[in-house]
Amino acid sequence: MKRKFDASPKDRSARAGETGPAGAMSLAEGVMDFVVADPARLLRFMEASGLDPAALRAAAGSPDLLTGILDHVVSDEETLLACAGALGVPPERITAAWRRLGPPDPDAFGA
């Protein structure tokens, strides 16, 4: 009988929220779908990002927009938890995707 702690390293990393580049992009697309599905949530994102409807349409699907969506969702715990619940993933997976796709940490430059 296999117990929970007998999981392979691959199983543990998936549960811990490790996300490769392709998985991070795919998850970001799901987060985008979550945001645009609710007009109030979409309006909050547009106000926070300064995007108007035309700019949002022009940027649709771009890596920069997906990163911005992740940044927006991760910045609000309530939205993060709602999104994670809707997507059926732990919130840590969303934050892992945000870290993978987001800008580099300024401390990494030795500033």
Side-chain angles (χ1 to χ4, degrees):
M1 178 158 112
K2 192 172 189 175
R3 291 175 278 183
K4 287 183 181 180
F5 58 84
D6 290 336
S8 70
K10 181 178 177 184
D11 293 338
R12 280 193 300 271
S13 67
R15 272 185 276 152
E18 292 180 19
T19 304
M25 287 298 286
S26 178
L27 185 57
E29 291 168 355
V31 171
M32 176 78 170
D33 291 342
F34 170 78
V35 170
V36 301
D38 178 13
R41 201 177 298 129
L42 178 58
L43 182 61
R44 279 192 303 276
F45 169 70
M46 290 173 65
E47 289 172 346
S49 66
L51 293 173
D52 61 27
L56 186 62
R57 277 191 292 278
S62 74
D64 289 339
L65 179 62
L66 294 175
T67 300
I69 287 279
L70 286 171
D71 193 53
H72 176 73
V73 168
V74 169
S75 71
D76 180 68
E77 184 177 15
E78 185 178 330
T79 304
L80 173 62
L81 294 176
C83 182
L87 296 177
V89 298
E92 295 82 7
R93 287 254 333 265
I94 297 172
T95 57
W98 171 69
R99 282 195 291 295
R100 176 162 299 275
L101 299 176
D105 182 2
D107 293 334
F109 298 110

